[in-house]
Every structure is written in structure tokens, then in C-alpha cells.
Amino acid sequence: NAGVMQNPRHLVRRRGQEARLRCSPMKGHSHVYWYRQLPEEGLKFMVYLQKENIIDESGMPKERFSAEFPKEGPSILRIQQVVRGDSAAYFCASSPDRRNEKLFFGSGTQLSVL
Amino acid sequence: GDSVTQMEGPVTLSEEAFLTINCTYTATGYPSLFWYVQYPGEGLQLLLKATKADDKGSNKGFEATYRKETTSFHLEKGSVQVSDSAVYFCALYGGATNKLIFGTGTLLAVQP
């Protein structure tokens, strides 16, 4: 039973480019969460999705960031026109139900913006 | 709003030393409390949890007791090993928000 899979592990982008981060939840999990870990800070909640629905996006920046979790395929976190401040580790987690008190985390994507 | 405060690191210890990492929280109601561990290059893993006051969570020699009166959930281990070197995150679930809220993390470095 594979865990939460994130790819790529490392992503390098130049300012102004787009970044796409992918997350495949654990088998049987239909709830996905994205967290961002900035240097010297803890994990900050970004967005919570179920299949084809965004449930809570209160932690998402208002511009340039979007997320989806289609009926088929992985969840995607998309950052348009990246800036240096977007450099961070982005973690995806999944859970089998709405109560997210026990999350299973992926190994993260380290985004570096040059 | 709900929040978690944990001691700043890094915490540097010699092997077999006693470990305490402090964690306090602010939340409405009665949240569940957690410690997660992040080993180098990996994602977070649940280490232990407690769901109500006076509960003690334990795993791999680590322990933490849910103290409602002091709103704390300090992590302890009697004898650390080099392999315990990692970042430890205190977290809460419940309260005013339906999401897992993390502290800033504490880096533990254990030297042989």
C-alpha cells in the first residue's frame, strides 16, 4: 500500500514561470490537504480538497495559486508567475475521511525560484 | 484563533541524554494534540497523540501528557539516540477550526 506520493521532489523555476506540483493520495483516501513550509516557519495550511471540490482554501494566497483534485488523477497545486518568495517546501497529506486529525504526509516538493 | 507555540531550536544533546521539547497551545473547546516527526528529506510522520485531558501519548520511547490546566503537551524521552535527530512538530486539531494547526517545529540534533 503505497503512501502519499509527491512529485517532483525538487523543482527549480525562474521568476515568472509556472510551477505544477503533483500529489497522489494513499489508496482509498479522497481527502487531500496542501501545506507550505517556509524557512524558519512551521507548516502553514493552504487548501483542503475532496474529489472535484475545494472545501477550504482559506490558506491560499489570493493570486497566482490554485489547486484541483480531479475525479481521475493526482491533486495539482499550481503556482503561476512564481516569485522568489514562493521558494518553500510544499507538502501534501491525505486522509480517509473529513476529520483530518490523522494525516498521512508525502515527502514534499522543494520549490526553488531563481 | 487556535495556535501552537513550541520551544525554538536547535536542541543539541548527547546520546542517552534526557529530552524535553515544550509545547503550549491556545484553542477553544477541547482539541486533540499531536507530535509529528520529520526526518531529513522526508515528510511528517505521526509520532503520538492524545485526545483528552490527562491522556498520555507514547511511542518509540517518547511520551507527552495532555495538560489542560497548563494548556501544554510537552514531549519527553528518557534517553535519546542519534537516530532521533529530526524536526519535531507539535500540533492540534479541533477547537475553532477543522484543520490541523502546527507549531514552528523544533530541530533536535543528537551527537554520539
Side-chain angles (χ1 to χ4, degrees):
Chain A
N1 185 15
V4 178
M5 304 300 292
Q6 287 188 252
N7 65 81
R9 288 295 302 271
H10 302 276
L11 181 61
V12 179
R13 286 288 179 265
R14 296 191 180 280
R15 281 178 297 172
Q17 291 184 318
E18 178 179 285
R20 280 180 176 247
L21 288 63
R22 287 177 291 277
C23 168
S24 296
M26 285 186 70
K27 186 177 180 180
H29 288 191
S30 59
H31 300 254
V32 166
Y33 308 81
W34 285 93
Y35 283 80
R36 177 164 64 174
Q37 185 178 27
L38 291 164
E40 309 301 323
E41 296 186 22
L43 276 78
K44 300 295 185 185
F45 168 81
M46 298 182 75
V47 62
Y48 162 38
L49 310 104
Q50 287 181 257
K51 286 283 188 181
E52 301 184 275
N53 287 304
I54 297 174
I55 307 301
D56 181 351
E57 57 181 347
S58 58
M60 288 278 271
K62 293 291 186 286
E63 298 178 347
R64 302 187 297 108
F65 285 71
S66 61
E68 62 176 8
F69 188 17
K71 187 177 180 181
E72 301 291 337
S75 176
I76 306 289
L77 179 67
R78 181 182 178 206
I79 311 172
Q80 296 178 290
Q81 299 176 318
V82 295
V83 300
R84 289 220 173 108
D86 297 332
S87 297
Y90 292 83
F91 288 95
C92 169
S94 72
S95 70
D97 54 42
R98 187 178 181 88
R99 283 183 59 83
N100 70 342
E101 61 179 6
K102 184 178 180 182
L103 300 184
F104 294 84
F105 281 83
S107 298
T109 294
Q110 180 65 50
L111 172 65
S112 298
V113 179
L114 304 179
Chain B
D2 297 345
S3 66
V4 175
T5 301
Q6 57 183 110
M7 64 188 289
E8 290 190 21
V11 174
T12 304
L13 296 173
S14 298
E15 209 165 18
E16 299 184 3
F18 183 85
L19 168 70
T20 299
I21 300 178
N22 290 339
C23 170
T24 57
Y25 67 90
T26 301
T28 57
Y30 303 96
S32 295
L33 302 174
F34 306 83
W35 278 99
Y36 277 80
V37 58
Q38 182 183 26
Y39 296 104
E42 298 184 14
L44 277 72
Q45 303 172 27
L46 179 64
L47 180 60
L48 54 84
K49 74 173 188 178
T51 57
K52 60 183 187 297
D54 300 325
D55 266 4
K56 177 186 284 188
S58 61
N59 186 24
K60 300 181 181 179
F62 291 89
E63 293 183 339
T65 301
Y66 189 143
R67 301 286 188 200
K68 182 171 176 290
E69 62 277 12
T70 55
T71 61
S72 64
F73 193 55
H74 304 322
L75 182 68
E76 297 181 336
K77 186 174 185 182
S79 176
V80 293
Q81 306 299 313
V82 172
S83 57
D84 293 326
S85 298
V87 180
Y88 292 82
F89 291 90
C90 186
L92 70 82
Y93 171 83
T97 62
N98 189 35
K99 53 176 73 80
L100 203 56
I101 307 294
F102 288 91
T104 53
T106 301
L107 173 64
L108 171 64
V110 180
Q111 300 174 337

